[in-house]
Amino acid sequence: MSEKKKEPSVWQGFKTFLMRGNVVDLAVAVVIGAAFTNIVNSVVKGLINPLVGAIGTQNLDSYSSCLSDSCSGDKGIQLMWGSVLGAALSFVITAAVVYFLMVLPMSKYLARQEAQRKAKEGTHEVIEITELEVLKEIRDALVAQRGNGHREP
């Protein structure tokens, strides 16, 4: 006779999925990413575009190339490389902001915590080694005393 295993319900599976740490981390990342979008857009509009504007135009979307003889109206194939450049700059700025304001400080903090933990463990090990050494010395002294004829009757 074979027993049927009770399969978890869809609701149980969904609850398990939501309770995983990765889902919560992902939700936090999405919210923080959305908040950084405004910062990045402001940096691009307020700093990057004026710097590019000093060389050419402030609107990166206006940079394009035409693959055919004429790109007037709907005719011709136009490559909008300025838009790609703008998106790439936004990505690099976003990555830099996330790295320098979040990842790097958190890495330093975690490294500092790990160093403190190891230092605490190291002091315990030194105490244990010192106690062990003292016990060995006591043992050796007792053995030496017994060897010199100081045995108890």
Side-chain angles (χ1 to χ4, degrees), residues 5-135:
K5 289 185 179 179
K6 185 178 178 185
E7 292 186 24
S9 68
V10 173
W11 179 247
Q12 289 288 345
F14 184 67
K15 280 180 20 181
T16 302
F17 171 73
L18 286 180
M19 298 312 287
R20 287 186 195 163
N22 294 344
V23 174
V24 174
D25 292 342
L26 181 61
V28 169
V30 168
V31 170
I32 289 174
F36 273 125
T37 300
N38 290 333
I39 294 171
V40 170
N41 287 340
S42 296
V43 169
V44 169
K45 281 184 180 178
L47 297 175
I48 303 299
N49 286 349
L51 290 174
V52 172
I55 299 168
T57 178
Q58 287 191 11
N59 186 3
L60 291 176
D61 293 338
S62 65
Y63 289 107
S64 64
S65 298
C66 188
L67 289 181
S68 58
D69 293 337
S70 173
C71 283
S72 60
D74 291 340
K75 296 181 180 182
I77 300 171
Q78 191 170 14
L79 297 177
M80 304 293 292
W81 60 270
S83 298
V84 175
L85 179 63
L89 285 173
S90 294
F91 173 78
V92 168
I93 292 169
T94 303
V97 167
V98 168
Y99 180 76
F100 289 112
L101 293 182
M102 297 184 75
V103 174
L104 190 62
M106 183 59 77
S107 296
K108 287 184 179 182
Y109 172 75
L110 292 176
R112 196 175 319 123
Q113 294 288 41
E114 183 67 19
Q116 288 175 351
R117 185 186 65 78
K118 284 184 179 180
K120 282 183 180 179
E121 287 178 0
T123 57
H124 294 301
E125 289 174 10
V126 169
I127 291 171
E128 290 173 9
I129 291 171
T130 304
E131 289 174 2
L132 182 61
E133 291 297 320
V134 168
L135 289 173

